[in-house]
Amino acid sequence: MTMKLAAVGSPLPSATITEWQRDERAHVLVQDERVVGYGELWFDAEEDEVELARIIVAPDARGKGLGRLLVRGLLAQAAAAGHHDIFLRVHPDNGPALRCYRAAGFAPVDPALAATWNKTQPVDHAWLRHDLEASGA
């Protein structure tokens, strides 16, 4: 994984991704000098936690384990910053993403907590948590 900023091929407009990359939270996964993945770390100092967000793998690079590699790289960045309690949200119909996150060690949060967090969301997301200390990662 690298901090290199570059556009990622996806259904999102390139201007949107370019705007996201202006943020220091942005990370890309590069394979053979081509950006194949994008993700962000949203640090919350008040809650002492971090959220993985906007995780995207280029459509033609999916199904090759690169999403898991990107997620593990983001987890390593969070750990290096001293965070061990890591969350993410995903659309409940996104089966490939859910499988990727579960394979990377994420587990669903308590349903009551998910319901509370979903009150402010446009859709009821599946909320997942990864505890680096508990997993030994």
Side-chain angles (χ1 to χ4, degrees), residues 84-123:
H84 300 283
D85 209 14
I86 302 163
F87 296 89
L88 61 78
R89 60 187 152 169
V90 62
H91 194 283
D93 295 337
N94 191 342
L98 284 165
R99 284 189 297 279
C100 171
Y101 303 142
R102 297 292 297 254
F106 281 86
V109 301
D110 178 85
L113 182 58
T116 298
W117 288 346
N118 278 325
K119 286 181 182 179
T120 61
Q121 300 298 314
V123 61

